[in-house]
Amino acid sequence: MNQQKEVPFTRRALKRVSEANSKEYEFSIVTYNILADYWIQQSSGKEDSYNYCPKEYMIRTNGRASHRHVLLMAELRWLDSDIICLQEVDTSYFNEILKEELSELGYEGLFAKKCMGIPEGEALFFKKNKFYLQETKTVYLNDMAECTFQHTEIPLFWEVALLATLRHKLSDSLLESDGNRVAHILCGDFNIEPQFPAYKLLAEGKLTDKEINTLKGYDYIRWGRNTYMEKTLQLLPDQVSLLHKTEAQLKNPLVNLQSAYKSIMGAEPQCTNHEGPECVWTLDFIWFDSRTLEVTAALETVPPSDIEPYTGLPNKYFPSDHLSLKAYFKFASMKNKNEF
């Protein structure tokens, strides 16, 4: 990877709308679904699963020398982010390779494995020269659902969220707003598109009656290559019943969330997941608390036109079926100290 100028992921310009008072107080964050080997193996043999990608660019069979790993590390070095949030990280890949290699670059790493026997999860890395880890917590969707929807039969989920409180090293106290708020960022692969009701729920905190009725009419969870857009699946009767029972809980308490990319670029990326001409989606986002943080810049995403010559992702030049996102932030009030 010594010819980075020829690598498509480096052909991305940074759009900046604001300068930080001091670069020491500005920080960057990357979110990236890196495509777990586990899911490639699960889809092996399926007619429409990455059949455009040569095998040597797929599974990380050669450890640190594997093409996908070399590509990923080259991209992470180029991104040089203060915080890195990764999804679909194979458990063994984190423990045996990724944690050590990123440690050599000055990062400390955290990992949260999915439940129900799924051998991959979420990873978070932060630069040790900029942040202290104050607290970390693993949240399982099953546990949250059981607590929220008591006495209601709900499906099981294997999803997990990795939460971390990081203290800025230039400070000894919290960044607080109204005495009890700390800055927060929510990012990752949400598996929703900007036109989906769940996106509206994140952006505005609630859904109107009309939007809830729209949600009741279509299954936004089971959409796939043969059902997306033109043949959206209808909700099954038990799903309609579940939605009726849980409708009152369809609220987002993080009422000040804004999308970093929409704030800087005016719209979400054209795509963040590209698995061929019929499978081009925007599923990844960086949300931030607009009361305590100000987004100052965002890195352009790779346009679909740069991917189409290779049919889709992953390929020789891209290690995942998703694209990385990167944004820069500064603390909204420099009078306070910094933590999120």
Side-chain angles (χ1 to χ4, degrees), residues 34 37 58 64 88 104 135 171 174 199 222 245 261 290 292 303:
I34 64 171
D37 281 351
M58 294 290 285
R64 294 171 185 253
E88 287 198 25
E104 293 170 1
E135 185 179 1
S171 162
L174 306 180
Y199 180 96
R222 293 186 299 141
K245 295 176 182 177
Y261 270 74
S290 59
T292 55

Side-chain angles (χ1 to χ4, degrees), residues 13-207:
L14 183 70
K15 182 176 180 180
R16 181 173 287 281
V17 298
S18 175
E19 294 289 343
N21 293 342
S22 167
K23 287 188 177 180
E24 293 177 341
Y25 283 93
E26 186 180 58
F27 64 90
S28 57
I29 187 166
V30 159
T31 183
Y32 200 175
N33 179 328
I34 64 171
L35 180 58
D37 281 351
Y38 171 76
W39 294 116
I40 296 176
Q41 292 164 339
Q42 291 297 303
S43 64
S44 178
K46 295 182 180 179
E47 183 177 347
D48 59 350
S49 296
Y50 312 117
N51 56 8
Y52 49 81
C53 183
K55 291 183 178 180
E56 61 265 31
Y57 304 144
M58 294 290 285
I59 302 292
R60 303 182 187 94
T61 54
N62 295 323
R64 294 171 185 253
S66 297
H67 186 82
R68 279 219 300 144
H69 173 69
V70 173
L71 271 181
L72 175 66
M73 290 305 301
E75 185 171 359
L76 292 180
R77 288 189 186 95
W78 180 80
L79 288 166
D80 190 29
S81 185
D82 298 320
I83 302 168
I84 303 171
C85 300
L86 302 179
Q87 303 87 51
E88 287 198 25
V89 182
D90 292 286
T91 305
S92 58
Y93 183 48
F94 175 85
N95 290 329
E96 298 170 12
I97 297 177
L98 205 54
K99 184 177 181 180
E100 181 179 345
E101 286 216 14
L102 283 171
S103 176
E104 293 170 1
L105 297 179
Y107 290 93
E108 182 174 336
L110 308 171
F111 182 75
K113 183 177 175 293
K114 291 180 178 177
C115 59
M116 298 174 61
I118 304 299
E120 55 99 345
E122 320 300 315
L124 184 149
F125 296 89
F126 59 91
K127 286 186 176 179
K128 292 181 288 187
N129 66 345
K130 284 203 171 185
F131 297 100
Y132 294 111
L133 174 65
Q134 179 157 313
E135 185 179 1
T136 182
K137 184 178 181 180
T138 298
V139 178
Y140 296 97
L141 184 57
N142 275 340
D143 296 339
M144 293 182 63
E146 289 176 6
C147 180
T148 303
F149 307 123
Q150 295 182 18
H151 312 299
T152 300
E153 186 176 349
I154 57 173
L156 295 175
F157 304 94
W158 56 58
E159 282 80 1
V160 64
L162 176 58
L163 309 181
T165 302
L166 304 177
R167 185 184 292 273
H168 199 272
K169 280 202 169 183
L170 296 178
S171 162
D172 290 325
S173 59
L174 306 180
L175 171 68
E176 295 184 354
S177 173
D178 297 335
N180 57 11
R181 292 182 58 85
V182 297
H184 53 269
I185 293 174
L186 183 67
C187 64
D189 172 10
F190 288 78
N191 268 331
I192 58 173
E193 290 227 280
Q195 73 272 19
F196 284 13
Y199 180 96
K200 184 76 174 292
L201 189 63
L202 283 166
E204 300 187 12
K206 61 182 179 180
L207 298 177

